[in-house]
Amino acid sequence: MDVLYLSILRELLEHGAIKNDRTGTGTRSLFGVSYRHDLSTGFPLLTTKKLHVRSILYELLWFLKGDTNIRYLNENGVTIWDEWAAPDGELGPIYGSQWRFWRNTDGTQTDQVQALLNSLRTNPDSRRHIMSAWNVSCLPDESKSPAQNALDGRMSLPPCHILYQFYIAHNKLSCMLTQRSGDWFLGIPYNCASLAFLTHMIAQQLGLKPGEIIHSIGDTHLYLNHTNQARLQLTRTPRPLPKLILKRHPETLFNYNFEDFEITGYDPHPSIAAPISV
């Protein structure tokens, strides 16, 4: 995992197009990056820098609850969404809302996660095992701040990881994530691990083995103020990937707790601090 990640990081540094961005920071950008990882070879946590697994996992559990207020995250020591929240902690109808409470035109709501599970169980060969967060009617007004959009009942930020598609073959569950935009240094390692956690969880619920994760990113970028951090990471030698142990088999996908997950053999290099562009 690290070898592929570092090769794309090097490509961004050496050949990424210099582009302006919403935050005013500036990026080096590539378009249309894709990679795949066989989950049987290890859990895809980067080893060339330590990742904050607590943030990754609690965020995923938060999404699955359908929650859109940072209160739950903060209560569990996670602050990764704080910069975009309204004063009351709300973020508007972001991922959790779209996953569990998609707004239909007739005023009803669809639980996409439950619908996905039903589809995987009853029609495993379907080509429609899809979950989307790109709800055009809820996208933010770009002329307003994230907090103001949340107060107006719109997404504080448009979703980056927009489409999940699942696939069953040879008694294994695989997932492809399509992402419109990806911060290669800070965001993508989190997205990759979150995708792997979700695939493991759903596979367990279905009585399947985890297969592959495939990750396709549109605007793949390295913020210019992450350049020195990226060069430091490139000097490090990858180490063996850790393993994930699911310590319990909950009754449903919505009953997992943080304590149900154990990462063994994770021996990363030290973390590398980098500023978040808001």
Side-chain angles (χ1 to χ4, degrees):
M1 181 64 205
D2 281 83
V3 173
L4 178 57
Y5 176 86
L6 294 176
S7 70
I8 296 170
L9 184 60
R10 184 175 291 106
E11 182 75 7
L12 279 163
L13 279 170
E14 295 178 355
H15 302 292
I18 300 294
K19 292 177 69 71
N20 295 320
D21 74 288
R22 170 188 56 81
T23 71
T25 306
T27 68
R28 293 184 181 274
S29 173
L30 299 172
F31 186 65
V33 168
S34 183
Y35 69 89
R36 61 199 308 148
H37 174 74
D38 183 346
L39 292 170
S40 69
T41 64
F43 193 80
L45 285 173
L46 286 184
T47 64
T48 46
K49 67 173 182 180
K50 185 177 182 180
L51 299 184
H52 193 236
V53 178
R54 184 179 189 87
S55 292
I56 299 167
L57 191 46
Y58 267 116
E59 181 192 50
L60 177 59
L61 296 174
W62 179 63
F63 290 158
L64 289 169
K65 291 177 183 293
D67 199 349
T68 59
N69 193 292
I70 62 171
R71 186 180 306 108
Y72 169 83
L73 296 176
N74 290 173
E75 289 171 352
N76 290 285
V78 177
T79 60
I80 57 177
W81 278 92
D82 286 15
E83 286 84 359
W84 295 279
D88 62 357
E90 279 296 328
L91 291 153
I94 60 165
Y95 299 101
S97 176
Q98 303 309 323
W99 286 17
R100 302 298 312 281
F101 308 108
W102 180 281
R103 302 174 186 176
N104 300 317
T105 55
D106 62 0
T108 61
Q109 295 177 334
T110 295
D111 185 338
Q112 288 195 84
V113 181
Q114 188 60 61
L116 171 69
L117 292 169
N118 295 343
S119 175
L120 287 165
R121 287 192 174 102
T122 61
N123 191 9
D125 291 335
S126 173
R127 297 186 290 268
R128 301 176 182 179
H129 299 310
I130 286 173
M131 184 169 69
S132 173
W134 192 260
N135 189 336
V136 176
S137 67
C138 300
L139 294 178
D141 181 339
E142 294 186 5
S143 69
K144 297 181 179 180
S145 69
Q148 186 58 57
N149 273 300
L151 289 171
D152 291 345
R154 306 184 74 82
M155 299 176 184
S156 58
L157 286 175
C160 291
H161 39 103
I162 57 176
L163 188 76
Y164 292 75
Q165 182 171 1
F166 290 84
Y167 177 85
I168 297 174
H170 309 299
N171 201 42
K172 294 181 179 181
L173 178 73
S174 296
C175 183
M176 180 168 70
L177 170 59
T178 301
Q179 189 159 338
R180 67 166 180 88
S181 171
D183 170 356
W184 194 253
F185 189 79
L186 287 180
I188 291 298
Y190 275 52
N191 300 141
C192 174
S194 181
L195 173 61
F197 275 124
L198 182 62
T199 303
H200 273 275
M201 293 160 69
I202 295 179
Q204 184 189 53
Q205 288 295 310
L206 299 174
L208 301 172
K209 297 178 181 178
E212 289 185 298
I213 55 170
I214 301 95
H215 197 173
S216 297
I217 307 107
D219 190 315
T220 309
H221 51 269
L222 176 71
Y223 281 103
L224 296 181
N225 59 355
H226 296 168
T227 299
N228 291 337
Q229 292 91 332
R231 287 175 176 154
L232 170 60
Q233 191 172 357
L234 284 168
T235 67
R236 295 176 172 182
T237 302
R239 295 172 178 172
L241 290 179
K243 300 290 184 183
L244 171 64
I245 297 173
L246 295 177
K247 299 163 64 176
R248 185 174 68 98
H249 189 158
E251 184 178 345
T252 76
L253 181 65
F254 310 113
N255 294 130
Y256 286 87
N257 299 316
F258 180 81
E259 294 75 21
D260 295 331
F261 302 84
E262 181 179 353
I263 299 291
T264 64
Y266 189 39
D267 179 32
H269 292 264
S271 60
I272 304 174
I276 297 174
S277 294
V278 178

